[in-house]
Amino acid sequence: MGWPQRVTVVILAFLGFLILFGFRTVFTMMMVYVIKDNENNGVTLFKECTINGTAFDLQLDWSVATSQYFNTAYFVGYVITQLPGGYLAVRFSPTKIFGSSILVSGSCFLVLAFFMKYSPIICFGARFIQGLVEGMCQPAMSSVVSAWAPKSERARIVGVAYSGIYLSTSLASVISGAATCYISWHAGLIIYGSLAVLWSVVWICMVYDSPNVHPSLCEKERIIFEKDGSNILLSSARMAEKIPWKGILTSVPVWALFLINFTRSWVFAMMITEIPQYFADVFTLNVATIGFLTSFPPIVMSVSVILGGIMVDKLIKEEKVSVTAGRKMSIILGFGSEAVCVLALGFLRNYFAAAVLIIIAEGLAGLSSAGFKVNPVDLAPQYSSILTGVVRSGVLGATVSTALAGSLRQENAQSWQRIFLITGSLHLCSVTFYSVFGSGQQQKWAQPEYMTLVTSKGESDVIYGSNSITLSKNKMDLNEIVSNNEEENQKRSFDNQ
């Protein structure tokens, strides 16, 4: 009844990312509590956990290093499926891939809630499977964005949808910290696993691969996509055969984007999976206090992600900056500032000052989403899922980050200082490289090889994913023009006679 369907897509995408990326924080907070090595009764802003010593308590004789290797297993699986996920989004339905991935990952959380206490092998296996399925999510979402985001709204739509990633950490920190201390050690796993299953059903039933195949798209919105859509073709086996692999793998702007994703994944993994352990090691905070302190940075980041998208869209639309300049500006302001803050974090010895600096770092980092999250769609609209899969193979940085923390981490400030110095320096180098070699222009190799308009049967089997004008309609219009020209020529011939 006139409701913009792209708003439905954006809202559900936001909620999906809110749940999906909350998984990481929920798992980390739970592990900080259940491992005996951690001291959870130090400085606190809340009363001690009420489940201590009850039937809802759990203490495992596992080491902190073991818990960090659980995260490494997750990120290994996450890296493996980035590129295959991009290919599958070109070959099959990207919306179904996105929804099914969250469904499987949520189900793994429910398995962990009831069985992980029996063996670390179960935990390793579940985390690896979660990484495998979650690795396909962002490449698939890139295809969804290519179809559903008009060019003039691209950065803001990406900003709103992906802000769920950053707000997820805040929400999950508070929920899992409180639920673990005052309900049950596995309450966070059950809550998030159940929400994932419910959300997946709603997403799969309500979201379509493109505006063109949506049964209830209003006329006003249809006109918007006709004028401002990306004009991409729906996923198919034929489109999968046309992927320009050589152009992608030899493109300097693609490699610049890969490096940005590599170091950002490094930093983001550290902020989600390592910062809670940092607060426990250096300041001996309890789990509820850690959850409270780590809840603020993602809130600020989620706001800056949206504001950054609106700002960059406005500057580009008003032609105050080029697309390339807009993308580079957001990367430099966001990730450049974050890198400096991470370097400074290694020298702080007060938990309140450290929490404030993390808030500043992550708040500024949110501005960069208008650059690196949107950039694959700029460079190759038709193959954005493939490009996203390629550059997001940089999540290998998250694997290296967690492995490095596992090997360097000790219960002292000096070890964490080394971790922060390495992280901040690499992040700053990648920002410099992108500011020189990055681009916001569609690349020459990204032009799709369009198939013959008319098949042997006289019909086209090609459907556009973000433009309601199909090739069949174009063929009909062309026939009308030809017919009208023939009638006009006959009339002129008769008049001459």
Side-chain angles (χ1 to χ4, degrees), residues 166 256-268 271 301 304-305 327-343 360-374 392 423-432 434-435:
Y166 311 107
L257 188 57
F258 171 83
L259 289 176
I260 280 292
N261 275 268
F262 179 87
T263 55
R264 174 52 184 163
S265 295
W266 183 307
V267 176
F268 192 55
M271 290 297 178
M301 177 179 278
S304 67
V305 165
R327 303 296 178 235
K328 290 183 177 181
M329 177 182 67
S330 65
I331 293 293
I332 294 171
L333 290 177
F335 289 159
S337 302
E338 182 186 43
V340 173
C341 289
V342 170
L343 289 171
I360 295 172
E362 295 305 281
L364 292 171
L367 299 175
S368 291
S369 288
F372 83 114
K373 291 290 186 184
V374 188
R392 281 194 56 76
T423 299
S425 299
L426 288 174
H427 203 25
L428 200 58
C429 289
S430 71
V431 170
T432 303
Y434 184 88
S435 65

Side-chain angles (χ1 to χ4, degrees), residues 184-378:
S184 171
W185 70 269
H186 56 11
L189 300 178
I190 295 173
I191 291 171
Y192 268 76
S194 302
L195 286 174
V197 172
L198 177 61
W199 175 90
S200 300
V201 173
V202 176
W203 170 271
I204 292 173
C205 292
M206 293 188 63
V207 177
Y208 292 78
D209 286 331
S210 80
N212 189 49
V213 297
H214 199 290
S216 57
L217 195 72
C218 68
E219 186 61 27
K220 181 179 180 180
E221 193 170 21
R222 190 177 300 279
I223 292 173
I224 291 175
F225 284 110
E226 288 180 6
K227 293 181 178 179
D228 206 22
S230 296
N231 199 30
I232 64 171
L233 301 173
L234 282 178
S235 302
S236 66
R238 192 175 299 181
M239 285 308 303
E241 294 173 357
K242 302 293 184 179
I243 298 172
W245 291 111
K246 181 179 179 181
I248 292 173
L249 297 178
T250 58
S251 173
V252 176
V254 171
W255 281 103
L257 188 57
F258 171 83
L259 289 176
I260 280 292
N261 275 268
F262 179 87
T263 55
R264 174 52 184 163
S265 295
W266 183 307
V267 176
F268 192 55
M270 184 185 69
M271 290 297 178
I272 292 179
T273 63
E274 307 303 334
I275 288 299
Q277 190 63 54
Y278 160 72
F279 279 125
D281 284 346
V282 179
F283 306 111
T284 63
L285 306 182
N286 79 345
V287 68
T289 305
I290 293 172
F292 177 75
L293 292 176
T294 56
S295 68
F296 291 102
I299 295 175
V300 179
M301 177 179 278
S302 62
V303 174
S304 67
V305 165
I306 298 173
L307 294 179
I310 294 173
M311 177 187 70
V312 172
D313 268 348
K314 184 177 178 63
L315 291 174
I316 292 174
K317 187 174 183 179
E318 294 179 354
E319 299 183 349
K320 293 183 178 179
V321 298
S322 65
V323 175
T324 297
R327 303 296 178 235
K328 290 183 177 181
M329 177 182 67
S330 65
I331 293 293
I332 294 171
L333 290 177
F335 289 159
S337 302
E338 182 186 43
V340 173
C341 289
V342 170
L343 289 171
L345 190 61
F347 299 93
L348 296 181
R349 296 296 178 265
N350 178 277
Y351 80 88
F352 181 76
V356 171
L357 188 61
I358 292 172
I359 291 173
I360 295 172
E362 295 305 281
L364 292 171
L367 299 175
S368 291
S369 288
F372 83 114
K373 291 290 186 184
V374 188
N375 208 196
V377 184
D378 295 326

Side-chain angles (χ1 to χ4, degrees), residues 100-171:
S100 300
S101 297
I102 297 180
L103 175 63
V104 173
S105 188
S107 300
C108 286
F109 246 26
L110 296 176
V111 170
L112 284 175
F114 296 102
F115 298 105
M116 67 164 279
K117 61 184 178 181
Y118 297 112
S119 172
I121 301 299
I122 296 174
C123 199
F124 271 113
R127 290 297 284 165
F128 180 69
I129 292 172
Q130 283 187 300
L132 285 176
V133 296
E134 290 181 27
M136 296 185 286
C137 286
Q138 291 203 53
M141 179 52 62
S142 184
S143 280
V144 176
V145 168
S146 289
W148 281 98
K151 296 175 184 177
S152 60
E153 301 175 6
R154 190 173 286 168
R156 72 188 67 183
I157 284 179
V158 168
V160 173
Y162 283 83
S163 64
I165 294 177
Y166 311 107
L167 188 60
S168 68
T169 306
S170 174
L171 187 64

